[in-house]
Amino acid sequence: MNTTTLSALAEPNRLLIVELLREGPLTVGEIADRLHMRQPQASKHLKVLNEAEIVEVRPDANRRYYRLRSEPLQEMDSWLGTFRQMWEDRLDRLDDYLRQLQQAGKDEQS
């Protein structure tokens, strides 16, 4: 897991930009308008996301379109998957324990 990805997404505005780009490629101006921020502010956040390789830029005449790259997000999903499995195992054990307690309670009442 690349910690650069986590660091880049830790900033709330950058996370909002990533969520916005899930819908498809957008220009800096479109991102700034939709998130009610100034264009230079949006550009700074996009620069960080680009350096972290979370987004890529495609020039088109005098515009630059930003789109999400799937690879860093897939890597993060794989990394998080290890934690999902750990919690599923722990919750399964808790479920087993609670069933044992429930059964013990029923046995005492009989």
Side-chain angles (χ1 to χ4, degrees):
M1 170 60 200
N2 186 343
T3 58
T4 305
T5 301
L6 285 177
S7 296
L9 295 175
E11 204 286 327
N13 286 312
R14 290 195 286 268
L15 187 57
L16 288 173
I17 290 171
V18 167
E19 290 176 354
L20 188 61
L21 289 174
R22 286 189 304 185
E23 300 170 14
L26 295 169
T27 64
V28 177
E30 291 169 328
I31 292 167
D33 288 345
R34 292 187 189 186
L35 297 179
H36 308 290
M37 65 174 64
R38 296 186 327 270
Q39 192 165 335
Q41 184 183 12
S43 292
K44 284 182 181 181
H45 290 304
L46 286 163
K47 180 181 178 188
V48 172
L49 292 170
N50 188 38
E51 288 172 354
E53 299 180 348
I54 295 171
V55 300
E56 62 185 17
V57 187
R58 181 181 51 84
D60 184 20
N62 64 344
R63 292 186 170 167
R64 297 168 58 98
Y65 285 88
Y66 289 84
R67 77 172 195 87
L68 284 179
R69 293 184 67 248
S70 62
E71 296 85 0
L73 301 174
Q74 289 171 343
E75 287 175 19
M76 187 183 324
D77 185 56
S78 294
W79 179 73
L80 290 171
T82 63
F83 291 94
R84 277 187 216 104
Q85 186 60 51
M86 176 190 67
W87 280 108
E88 285 176 14
D89 292 345
R90 289 181 182 186
L91 290 173
D92 286 346
R93 287 195 309 267
L94 176 61
D95 189 46
D96 292 343
Y97 176 71
L98 292 174
R99 286 184 184 166
Q100 289 173 0
L101 288 177
Q102 208 172 31
Q103 187 60 42
K106 288 180 183 178
D107 291 346
E108 287 177 8
Q109 291 177 357
S110 298

